[in-house]
């Protein structure tokens, strides 16, 4: 600021810049010299230009300072946020590897076969009285006759079944339950078989 001339206040005696129209201390207006030289005027102009440049530099320095302060504050915030990140404080623990062993396949149990009980004897009896039927006569008009096969031992029926058949179905027929029906004249045999053992009875039929 050496280029700007100084003025002494005529009231309080303080010196101030020639650019100011009044004394900054007491407010007394300065007396302008009507006989000022051209050199003084040029000096005042140069001082004004220098003051403007100084003000401009001061403004830019202020702006740059503000930007620098904001950048520093942002950097500090980022550093603080990264330092308190729980992911960094608590490292992720990798679980230990567990060796998995495949158990051997369980064998399918083989079902135990039911023991076959041998049939000792088969006897044909009439179902209504339980008497042995060795031979009998049957007429179609009498209706069918129910026969039954007694198997010994009876436990053999857990693995074996009784099958019935007629030696001549033109005379008599028999179903799977032992029901005999006369269908014609003649003679035939009714056979009951179980477990390889058979029993027979003679039938005279009349259709």
């Amino acid at each position: 600021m050496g280029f700007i001339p100084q003025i002494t206040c005529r009231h309080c005696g303080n010196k101030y810049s020639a650019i100011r129209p009044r004394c900054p201390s007491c407010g007394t207006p300065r007396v302008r010299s009507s006989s000022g030289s051209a050199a003084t005027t040029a000096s005042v102009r140069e001082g004004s230009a220098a003051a403007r440049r100084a003000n401009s530099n001061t403004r830019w320095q202020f702006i740059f300072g503000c930007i620098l302060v904001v950048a520093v504050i942002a950097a500090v915030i980022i550093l603080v946020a990264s330092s308190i990140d729980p992911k960094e404080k608590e490292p992720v623990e990798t679980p230990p590897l567990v060796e998995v062993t495949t158990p051997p396949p369980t064998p399918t149990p083989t079902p135990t076969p039911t023991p076959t009980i041998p049939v000792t004897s088969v006897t044909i009896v009439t179902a209504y009285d339980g008497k042995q039927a060795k031979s009998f006569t049957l007429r179609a008009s009498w209706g069918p006759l129910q026969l039954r096969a007694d198997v010994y031992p009876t436990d053999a029926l857990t693995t074996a079944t009784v099958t019935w058949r007629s030696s001549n179905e033109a005379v008599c027929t028999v179903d799977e339950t032992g029901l005999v029906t006369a269908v014609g004249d003649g003679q035939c045999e009714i056979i009951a078989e179980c477990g390889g053992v058979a029993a027979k009875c003679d039938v005279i039929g009349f259709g």
Side-chain angles (χ1 to χ4, degrees):
M1 298 294 179
F3 299 100
I4 302 175
Q6 299 291 319
I7 297 175
T8 302
C9 179
R10 56 188 170 83
H11 180 73
C12 64
N14 291 330
K15 290 185 178 183
Y16 60 92
S17 173
I19 300 175
R20 296 179 179 272
R22 293 176 178 273
C23 175
S25 298
C26 64
T28 302
R30 69 183 177 86
V31 179
R32 297 183 180 272
S33 177
S34 59
S35 60
S37 60
T40 303
T41 303
S43 176
V44 172
R45 291 178 180 175
E46 290 178 359
S48 299
R52 286 195 297 271
R53 287 195 298 270
N55 291 335
S56 177
N57 291 337
T58 303
R59 185 171 60 253
W60 283 108
Q61 289 174 0
F62 176 75
I63 294 173
F64 178 76
C66 291
I67 294 174
L68 183 61
V69 170
V70 171
V72 171
I73 293 174
V76 171
I77 292 174
I78 293 174
L79 289 175
V80 172
S82 62
S83 64
I84 63 175
D85 190 358
K87 293 183 179 179
E88 294 184 0
K89 284 191 174 183
E90 299 179 2
V92 178
E93 295 183 0
T94 304
L97 295 177
V98 179
E99 184 178 355
V100 179
T101 57
T102 304
T106 304
T108 303
T110 303
T112 303
T114 304
T116 302
I117 301 174
V119 178
T120 303
S121 65
V122 177
T123 304
I124 298 176
V125 299
T126 53
Y128 66 91
D129 60 4
K131 294 182 179 180
Q132 183 177 2
K134 292 183 178 180
S135 63
F136 58 88
T137 300
L138 185 63
R139 293 182 180 272
S141 59
W142 297 348
L145 177 66
Q146 181 68 57
L147 300 179
R148 187 183 76 234
D150 287 345
V151 178
Y152 183 83
T154 57
D155 292 343
L157 293 175
T158 58
T159 57
T161 57
V162 178
T163 58
W164 295 86
R165 70 176 185 273
S166 172
S167 63
N168 188 354
E169 293 187 350
V171 178
C172 292
T173 61
V174 60
D175 64 7
E176 66 274 5
T177 65
L179 186 65
V180 181
T181 303
V183 293
D185 298 340
Q187 185 176 358
C188 67
E189 290 182 339
I190 299 298
I191 304 166
E193 184 178 358
C194 181
V197 179
K200 301 177 182 179
C201 68
D202 296 327
V203 180
I204 298 174
F206 297 94

